[in-house]
């Protein structure tokens, strides 16, 4: 008896449905941009509005999920206009984030898309190296621009290039210098960081409810090295277990994930690992891992599934 091909039986959400669900997020993004237009493209010359940047970054990551998902569905369920709309939206919101001086949320879509291209064998390493080199030079130039008082010189480019990893390492270096580190720790900061999932308009003071990191370290420029977050939450031995579990889960998704949803989630998570995982606090990392890239898309796709079942004249899709 011929073995049934499970992959061939998987159904997908069409691009037209993605367009319908993406439209309200696009409208919300336009409202935020218009109401804050006076602050656009000012770099670090204005106060860093974390709530506004966070909201636009969330919308951008949702469009990133739709963008990569749409490239994992069959051609007969794709729409050129929907693909254009989603792609244009990512470029628009990414440009706005650059205008606020944020490069982190630009790197995530870029790396995620590169992982997709490599995984699908749609790009050669030589071409990829050239494109990454151009992107790095461009982002270094943005780093110089957002300072507002520096010229575009070789020294300035080198400074911007080494500043990020050096400043991020200060927190880890100071942690090792200040005292004894626990072998096992209770992850109070990690557990309470899920409060960050609650929308700000429902819980304006949610940041105060998240337990701070309980070991001594210095972070004069804001970045928190991943070693600080891990050891504070899990201890030295617990950190090894946490990293093992993260690698095991991602590998399992990579090997066993057959649906477009699973593949897209894998690409998105890989997009945040090289930069955001290593320098942002646990609350932000968890929100990206579980909220932006998992819960929000899952809710949207479950709504679509419910509508498809409610009106059987339409095709029934699954994630």
């Amino acid at each position: 008896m011929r073995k049934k091909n499970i992959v061939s039986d998987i159904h997908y959400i069409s691009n037209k449905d993605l367009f319908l669900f993406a439209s309200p997020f696009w409208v919300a993004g336009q409202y935020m941009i218009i109401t804050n237009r006076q602050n656009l493209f000012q770099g670090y010359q204005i106060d860093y509005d974390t709530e506004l940047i966070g909201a636009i970054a969330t919308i951008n990551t949702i469009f990133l999920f739709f963008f990569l998902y749409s490239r994992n569905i069959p051609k007969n369920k794709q729409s050129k206009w929907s693909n254009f709309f989603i792609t244009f939206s990512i470029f628009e919101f990414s440009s706005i984030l650059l205008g606020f001086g944020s490069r982190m949320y630009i790197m995530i879509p870029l790396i995620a898309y590169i992982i997709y291209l490599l995984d699908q064998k749609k790009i050669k390493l030589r071409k990829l190296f050239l494109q990454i080199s151009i992107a790095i030079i461009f982002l270094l130039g943005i780093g110089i621009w957002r300072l507002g008082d520096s010229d575009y010189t070789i020294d300035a480019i080198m400074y911007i290039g080494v500043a990020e990893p050096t400043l991020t390492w200060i927190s880890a270096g100071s942690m090792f210098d200040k005292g004894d580190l626990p072998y096992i720790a209770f992850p109070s900061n990690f557990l309470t960081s899920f409060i960050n999932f609650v929308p700000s308009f429902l819980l304006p003071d949610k940041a105060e409810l998240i337990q701070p990191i309980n070991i001594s370290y210095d972070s004069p420029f804001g970045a928190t090295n991943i070693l600080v977050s891990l050891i504070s939450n899990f201890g030295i031995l617990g950190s090894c277990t946490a990293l093992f579990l993260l690698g095991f889960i991602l590998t399992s998704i990579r090997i066993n994930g057959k649906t477009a949803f699973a593949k897209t989630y894998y690409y998105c998570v890989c997009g945040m690992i090289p930069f955001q995982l290593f320098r942002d606090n646990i609350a932000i990392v968890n929100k990206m891992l579980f909220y932006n890239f998992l819960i929000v898309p899952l809710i949207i796709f479950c709504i679509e599934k419910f509508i498809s079942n409610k009106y059987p004249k339409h095709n029934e899709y699954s994630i």
Side-chain angles (χ1 to χ4, degrees):
M1 183 177 179
R2 186 178 178 182
K3 189 176 180 180
K4 189 176 181 180
N5 187 351
I6 298 177
V7 178
S8 63
D9 292 337
I10 296 176
H11 297 282
Y12 303 87
I13 297 177
S14 69
N15 268 29
K16 293 181 180 179
D17 289 336
L18 291 181
F19 172 81
L20 292 175
F21 282 100
S23 296
F25 292 101
W26 185 84
V27 172
Q30 305 313 307
Y31 174 79
M32 295 177 191
I33 292 171
I34 292 173
T35 54
N36 292 274
R37 58 187 180 275
Q38 70 278 5
N39 297 327
L40 297 180
F41 303 102
Q42 299 295 319
Y44 282 169
Q45 299 179 52
I46 61 172
D47 291 336
Y48 200 74
D49 193 336
T50 54
E51 289 190 7
L52 174 62
I53 293 175
I56 295 179
T58 297
I59 294 174
N60 201 37
T61 54
I62 292 173
F63 272 94
L64 170 64
F65 195 98
F66 290 160
F67 173 80
L68 293 175
Y69 182 90
S70 66
R71 275 147 182 78
N72 282 287
I73 64 177
K75 294 292 184 181
N76 64 333
K77 297 190 182 299
Q78 295 193 14
S79 165
K80 291 183 179 180
W81 286 107
S82 180
N83 281 337
F84 173 79
F85 169 71
I86 294 173
T87 304
F88 168 80
S89 298
I90 290 178
F91 275 105
E92 179 194 11
F93 293 126
S94 295
S95 300
I96 295 300
L97 289 170
L98 280 177
F100 282 117
S102 175
R103 292 176 298 171
M104 181 65 62
Y105 293 103
I106 311 306
M107 293 300 298
I108 293 174
L110 178 62
I111 298 299
Y113 185 55
I114 289 173
I115 297 297
Y116 159 76
L117 293 176
L118 290 173
D119 186 55
Q120 299 294 323
K121 297 180 174 57
K122 293 187 176 183
I123 191 172
K124 295 182 178 180
L125 289 178
R126 182 182 302 177
K127 184 178 181 180
L128 176 62
F129 177 78
L130 177 62
Q131 292 179 347
I132 290 179
S133 299
I134 295 174
I136 290 175
I137 294 174
F138 172 73
L139 290 173
L140 290 177
I142 293 295
I144 297 174
W145 163 79
R146 69 181 186 174
L147 292 177
D149 58 355
S150 299
D151 296 326
Y152 290 87
T153 63
I154 297 297
D155 290 342
I157 291 176
M158 292 180 63
Y159 167 76
I160 293 296
V162 302
E164 187 73 27
T166 301
L167 298 180
T168 301
W169 180 251
I170 289 177
S171 58
S174 64
M175 174 189 68
F176 289 117
D177 184 60
K178 283 183 177 292
D180 296 333
L181 301 177
Y183 287 98
I184 300 292
F186 181 78
S188 57
N189 172 245
F190 173 79
L191 294 176
T192 57
S193 69
F194 290 95
I195 297 175
N196 199 35
F197 292 8
V198 181
S200 297
F201 68 89
L202 294 177
L203 191 61
D205 300 327
K206 62 182 180 180
E208 299 178 4
L209 301 177
I210 300 175
Q211 294 296 312
I213 290 176
N214 55 11
I215 58 177
S216 299
Y217 73 101
D218 294 324
S219 182
F221 300 98
T224 303
N225 190 281
I226 185 175
L227 294 178
V228 176
S229 297
L230 285 174
I231 294 176
S232 172
N233 280 284
F234 307 105
I236 297 174
L237 297 179
S239 297
C240 298
T241 303
L243 289 175
F244 168 79
L245 290 175
L246 176 61
F248 177 79
I249 292 171
L250 282 179
T251 302
S252 298
I253 295 174
R254 171 66 181 84
I255 296 175
N256 301 314
K258 303 300 182 182
T259 65
F261 189 98
K263 292 179 181 178
T264 302
Y265 181 72
Y266 174 80
Y267 299 143
C268 290
V269 172
C270 287
M272 60 168 288
I273 286 177
F275 295 97
Q276 188 168 52
L277 180 66
F278 286 89
R279 55 94 60 202
D280 272 339
N281 63 63
I282 288 290
I284 296 177
V285 171
N286 279 348
K287 188 172 183 180
M288 294 290 288
L289 279 173
F290 299 108
Y291 186 79
N292 292 10
F293 288 144
L294 185 61
I295 294 177
V296 172
L298 193 60
I299 291 174
I300 291 172
F301 289 179
C302 286
I303 293 173
E304 195 280 339
K305 177 82 175 205
F306 172 79
I307 295 174
S308 296
N309 291 334
K310 189 73 173 178
Y311 302 96
K313 65 180 180 178
H314 297 292
N315 292 330
E316 183 178 336
Y317 305 125
S318 67
I319 62 176

